[in-house]
Amino acid sequence: MSIVVGYWPTAEGRAALRHGVDEALHHQTDLLVISDPGDAPARDQDAKAAEASGVTVTTRNASDAGMAAELIDASYVEGMTLLVLGLRRRSPVGKLLLGSISQQVLLDAQCPVVAVKPHVSAVG
């Protein structure tokens, strides 16, 4: 049993990581955090803070196929029970379409997907 988080070094990505940690603690499972290679330093720093809460965290860089493909592939791994993504707040026009990664993951993932938003005060 495991949970995967799509991480970006943004308020939305950190909200997804926090939610993933909360779920992992609740279900007593571990966490896989995937990010683009360029985001690895921030991801690793935030993952260390997550481990301080008692969750076992594994990190992985997305392949050349991209974040959407990497997250979808992870959702098909045996025992993967949840995928967590952060979503940006959108304008009324922007609400008609999700971001391409979010939309593709929501439509193609094998396991349940939770999309979280940061608290309004965290966006800025």
Side-chain angles (χ1 to χ4, degrees):
M1 182 187 244
S2 196
I3 296 170
V4 63
V5 173
Y7 176 86
W8 288 267
T10 62
E12 294 81 11
R14 289 182 178 102
L17 182 57
R18 277 190 304 276
H19 188 81
V21 168
D22 290 345
E23 289 291 323
L25 287 169
H26 178 74
H27 295 287
Q28 297 180 344
T29 189
D30 50 342
L31 200 60
L32 170 62
V33 182
I34 299 175
S35 73
D36 285 323
D39 297 335
R43 177 204 62 208
D44 293 344
Q45 181 179 356
D46 287 342
K48 283 182 185 175
E51 284 183 325
S53 67
V55 174
T56 300
V57 179
T58 303
T59 60
R60 185 165 78 203
N61 290 333
S63 66
D64 290 338
M67 278 290 284
E70 195 75 28
L71 292 169
I72 292 165
D73 286 350
S75 77
Y76 279 83
V77 171
E78 174 118 13
M80 197 61 68
T81 57
L82 184 67
L83 192 154
V84 184
L85 290 173
L87 290 180
R88 293 186 311 225
R89 297 193 184 280
R90 302 267 184 177
S91 68
V93 172
K95 288 180 182 179
L96 295 174
L97 297 173
L98 291 172
S100 60
I101 292 174
S102 301
Q103 184 174 13
Q104 188 175 358
V105 170
L106 284 167
L107 294 173
D108 295 338
Q110 174 65 24
C111 67
V113 178
V114 173
V116 298
K117 293 181 181 179
H119 293 291
V120 175
S121 62
V123 178

